[in-house]
């Protein structure tokens, strides 16, 4: 009787130890994955910040004031005093011009 109860006790302790090991391994893996997730989120935020900074830099470079200043200072261009006129060209005219240009350079 003592042998069978000792066997039962050992089996129960072994099962409990297995469950504890599985629990500890699972908790450890969850913590590792959470840290990895936090690191990935930080990397994503950093990349988004860099993208936003580059977009702001691009907007500065293509701003109308900057381009007008460069055109005036470097290229010697001037702004017309009156408003520019709008020229309307039909699609047919564009096609004819394209055809003429192709014929000329072929």
């Amino acid at each position: 009787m003592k042998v069978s109860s000792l066997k039962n006790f050992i089996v129960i302790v072994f099962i409990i130890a297995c469950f504890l090991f599985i629990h500890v391994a699972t908790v450890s893996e969850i913590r590792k994955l959470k840290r990895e997730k936090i690191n990935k989120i930080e990397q994503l935020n950093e990349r988004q910040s860099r993208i936003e900074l580059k977009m702001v830099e691009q907007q500065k470079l293509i701003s109308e004031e900057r381009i007008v200043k460069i055109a005036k200072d470097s290229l010697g261009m001037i702004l017309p005093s009156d408003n520019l006129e709008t020229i309307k060209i039909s699609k047919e005219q564009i096609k004819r011009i394209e055809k003429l240009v192709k014929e000329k350079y072929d």
Side-chain angles (χ1 to χ4, degrees):
M1 205 148 156
K2 285 188 175 188
V3 174
S4 107
S5 65
L6 183 61
K7 272 186 177 179
N8 288 340
F9 177 74
I10 291 173
V11 168
I12 291 172
V13 168
F14 179 74
I15 291 173
I16 290 173
C18 287
F19 279 124
L20 283 174
F21 175 75
I22 291 171
H23 175 71
V24 169
T26 304
V27 168
S28 174
E29 186 67 21
I30 288 171
R31 286 182 183 161
K32 179 183 145 197
L33 290 173
K34 282 183 180 180
R35 271 183 293 199
E36 193 174 312
K37 177 184 170 187
I38 290 170
N39 288 339
K40 296 292 182 184
I41 289 172
E42 288 174 357
Q43 288 175 356
L44 178 64
N45 289 338
E46 182 181 322
R47 287 183 181 170
Q48 285 177 333
S49 296
R50 278 191 268 144
I51 289 171
E52 288 175 6
L53 288 173
K54 290 196 183 277
M55 288 176 67
V56 167
E57 185 178 331
Q58 178 194 18
Q59 288 173 348
K60 286 180 187 176
L61 292 174
I62 63 172
S63 71
E64 183 179 349
E65 293 118 22
R66 180 178 178 275
I67 292 172
V68 168
K69 184 175 185 275
I70 291 171
K72 283 181 180 178
D73 297 343
S74 301
L75 303 174
M77 300 176 104
I78 57 171
L79 281 174
S81 57
D82 52 345
N83 290 335
L84 298 175
E85 294 181 26
T86 304
I87 300 173
K88 295 184 180 184
I89 300 176
S90 69
K91 290 182 182 180
E92 290 177 18
Q93 289 175 320
I94 293 173
K95 288 179 183 177
R96 277 190 257 141
I97 292 170
E98 285 177 345
K99 185 178 178 183
L100 287 172
V101 170
K102 284 182 183 178
E103 288 174 359
K104 189 170 187 171
Y105 290 104
D106 281 344

